[in-house]
Amino acid sequence: MRQSSVWFSRTWEKTSSPPSKMYPHHREREQPIFSTRAHVFQIDPTTKRNWIPASKHAVTVSFFYDANRNVYRIISVGGTKAIINCTLTPSMTFTKTSQKFGQWADSRANTVYGLGFATEQQLHQFSEKFKEVKDAARLAREKSQDKDLANTALTIAAPQFSQDLSDELQSPPMMCVNGPDDKLFRSQSADITLSAEKERIKKMLSEGSICEMNLDAELFTLQDSNSKLVAALHEANANVEQWKKQLVAYQEETERLRDQEIHILQSKKVEYHEMEHERDKAIHKMREMEMRNSELERRIQNTEQNLSNSLEERDRMDTEIQRAIEILDIKIFDLNDLRQSLVKLLVK
């Protein structure tokens, strides 16, 4: 089986038409039907619980339709590699796990994809498109199965018709012998021999038809497998070329953004130097103001101390004056008594 597959693959490569004519470019064969932007995650293959980011930033996630193969795919490219390459099947289900996050399982890739959207509306749009495309894939599979069943029925009916025709053509004529007894005996013997021969021929033809059917089925399978492999090869080559172009475009865009950023930083550097000079001047003025403020505070403290001393001196002087006044009052009273005494003496 493996040798025949290799032989058929080599023969197909020699006798088939050029790939460029049989398999058009990837973008001509697959058409985008819906695109959105989201953060892509994949389930941790070890724990099957934690999410591993497949992209640092939000990337474009698109639905593609291949009209030649009647296949729907979800594709997303991050940087120089495909982070999602999922063929949509009717058994897949997209589940919303939060207001802005959803997930689905891909059994062929043995992983679970998760998408984080910026808004709830984007999540709803992607979910509706996923359901719509899944229904379309289911209808396409049903049509393909009906077509395969019809082809199988025609393939089985054709060898049976050929077998019946061969039985009619290969059955020998009846033998006739003179004499009633001998004729009857030989006719019965001939019938038994012819029946056995007919069964043997039927068995041989049936086995030959089955072998032919198996060979045709194997050949068809090999052709289909080889076609799929060649298509996958050209698709991969087309993807590589597309990714190379995208890489070159990303590099050019990166260089442009880098030059722009350098220019902005250089202009900001000049502004920064000017601001730094202004800041130094402001710091110098602030220090001068702080020194003046310190001098004023020192003067205020001295003034307050002098004022306090003056108040204390005034209070002391007030006290002494009050004492002097009291002494003077006493002296005046004594002098008054003395005057009255003198007056009395004079009167006598």
Side-chain angles (χ1 to χ4, degrees), residues 64-321:
F64 281 87
Y65 174 62
D66 187 348
N68 293 338
R69 295 188 297 166
N70 204 12
V71 171
Y72 295 88
R73 291 200 303 162
I74 302 177
I75 298 175
S76 178
V77 178
T80 59
K81 65 177 182 178
I83 56 179
I84 298 179
N85 187 3
C86 173
T87 300
L88 204 63
T89 62
S91 61
M92 292 181 178
T93 302
F94 184 78
T95 305
K96 298 179 183 178
T97 57
S98 67
Q99 293 182 350
K100 298 181 182 180
F101 193 87
Q103 66 184 49
W104 81 95
D106 186 359
S107 58
R108 295 183 179 180
N110 193 24
T111 188
V112 179
Y113 292 106
L115 296 181
F117 296 90
T119 62
E120 186 176 356
Q121 182 181 3
Q122 292 179 346
L123 173 62
H124 178 72
Q125 291 176 350
F126 185 88
S127 177
E128 292 297 322
K129 181 57 65 174
F130 192 99
K131 182 179 179 182
E132 177 184 339
V133 173
K134 185 181 75 170
D135 293 338
R138 177 179 56 80
L139 293 175
R141 174 173 288 187
E142 290 177 355
K143 290 181 181 180
S144 178
Q145 290 177 350
D146 293 340
K147 185 177 180 180
D148 292 340
L149 289 174
N151 292 335
T152 304
L154 291 174
T155 304
I156 295 174
Q160 185 65 33
F161 176 75
S162 176
Q163 177 181 344
D164 295 338
L165 182 62
S166 298
D167 290 340
E168 293 180 0
L169 292 175
Q170 293 182 9
S171 298
M174 297 290 291
M175 295 179 61
C176 295
V177 184
N178 294 329
D181 296 335
D182 187 55
K183 181 179 179 180
L184 179 61
F185 175 76
R186 291 183 179 275
S187 296
Q188 292 176 352
S189 299
D191 290 339
I192 294 172
T193 304
L194 289 175
S195 297
E197 186 66 19
K198 187 176 181 180
E199 290 297 329
R200 187 179 67 81
I201 292 173
K202 282 184 177 181
K203 184 177 180 182
M204 291 174 61
L205 290 174
S206 177
E207 292 177 352
S209 299
I210 292 173
C211 292
E212 184 179 358
M213 289 172 60
N214 291 334
L215 289 175
D216 290 340
E218 182 179 353
L219 181 61
F220 177 78
T221 302
L222 291 174
Q223 289 176 346
D224 185 63
S225 299
N226 191 73
S227 300
K228 290 179 179 179
L229 289 174
V230 175
L233 178 61
H234 286 283
E235 180 180 346
N237 291 333
N239 288 335
V240 169
E241 293 298 327
Q242 185 66 22
W243 294 338
K244 286 182 179 179
K245 292 180 180 179
Q246 290 183 356
L247 178 59
V248 172
Y250 291 156
Q251 289 176 345
E252 292 176 354
E253 183 68 16
T254 302
E255 290 293 329
R256 187 183 67 81
L257 292 175
R258 187 178 68 84
D259 295 338
Q260 182 179 356
E261 188 69 20
I262 290 174
H263 179 70
I264 294 172
L265 289 175
Q266 287 177 348
S267 61
K268 287 184 177 180
K269 184 178 180 181
V270 175
E271 295 177 358
Y272 174 76
H273 286 307
E274 293 178 355
M275 292 175 63
E276 194 173 28
H277 180 67
E278 293 293 332
R279 188 199 66 178
D280 292 338
K281 289 173 63 177
I283 290 174
H284 181 69
K285 289 182 179 180
M286 185 180 69
R287 288 176 179 175
E288 289 181 352
M289 294 295 294
E290 286 179 351
M291 293 176 65
R292 290 180 182 179
N293 189 30
S294 299
E295 181 65 22
L296 290 173
E297 286 180 352
R298 186 180 62 78
R299 290 181 180 180
I300 290 172
Q301 288 178 356
N302 293 333
T303 304
E304 288 179 349
Q305 184 67 33
N306 293 332
L307 178 61
S308 178
N309 294 334
S310 298
L311 290 174
E312 289 179 356
E313 183 66 21
R314 190 191 68 176
D315 291 339
R316 187 181 63 78
M317 291 179 66
D318 289 341
T319 303
E320 291 180 355
I321 291 171

Side-chain angles (χ1 to χ4, degrees), residues 5-58:
S5 176
V6 174
W7 170 84
F8 179 77
S9 176
R10 292 176 179 175
T11 306
W12 176 264
E13 292 176 356
K14 292 179 180 180
T15 58
S16 61
S17 59
S20 60
K21 296 182 179 180
M22 291 187 62
Y23 299 99
H25 194 268
H26 174 70
R27 291 303 179 189
E28 297 177 357
R29 188 159 53 83
E30 284 189 332
Q31 297 297 328
I33 57 178
F34 178 80
S35 295
T36 186
R37 291 187 67 81
H39 291 269
V40 180
F41 300 86
Q42 288 187 9
I43 200 70
D44 190 346
T46 304
T47 63
K48 298 294 183 182
R49 293 181 180 179
N50 301 325
W51 289 107
I52 299 176
S55 61
K56 295 182 179 179
H57 308 286

